Amino acid sequence: SRDNYYYGAYTLPAGVANTVAMDAQLSLAPIPTTGELHIALQWTDPQAFAAIVTDMNGRQCHTFSEPACTEYTGNINLSNLPSGNYVLSIIGEQGASVSRMIVIKH
């Protein structure tokens, strides 16, 4: 058997080069959680954001959004979700995003 690999130079699409680099700090506690998850988010530029919790199959399980801010602290109740692994993605209105793994154990 023989494998051939081809390498080439790729250019970024016009919109990708203009995305905002996010200087963010995201803290989640406790991990693993039994249902109540504490979120602390800070970023340099104020922006509204949406938070999406997805399971490992990519299904959205929980969403919420907040108005423009540089700091956000809050709790979300995930006790209605079954035990397992999830991903919390936070997407800012300026294109910034950050994701973290969440483990829920009941």
Side-chain angles (χ1 to χ4, degrees):
S1 153
R2 183 176 171 184
D3 295 327
N4 294 319
Y5 298 96
Y6 297 96
Y7 300 96
Y10 297 97
T11 58
L12 296 173
V16 173
N18 296 327
T19 56
V20 176
M22 184 169 94
D23 185 14
Q25 294 180 352
L26 175 64
S27 299
L28 304 175
I31 300 291
T33 182
T34 57
E36 190 75 19
L37 182 67
H38 178 75
I39 299 172
L41 172 69
Q42 294 180 333
W43 43 32
T44 53
D45 296 326
Q47 58 184 305
F49 68 89
I52 304 165
V53 176
T54 56
D55 64 12
M56 292 294 106
N57 293 320
R59 290 184 296 242
Q60 291 185 3
C61 302
H62 184 81
T63 62
F64 70 95
S65 60
E66 292 292 325
C69 61
T70 55
E71 293 185 19
Y72 171 79
T73 303
N75 295 319
I76 58 173
N77 186 352
L78 302 174
S79 61
N80 62 329
L81 299 178
S83 296
N85 297 326
Y86 298 85
V87 175
L88 170 66
S89 300
I90 296 179
I91 303 163
E93 68 181 347
Q94 298 175 10
S97 67
V98 63
S99 297
R100 295 286 188 275
M101 178 74 80
I102 301 170
V103 178
I104 298 176
K105 289 187 177 181
H106 295 291

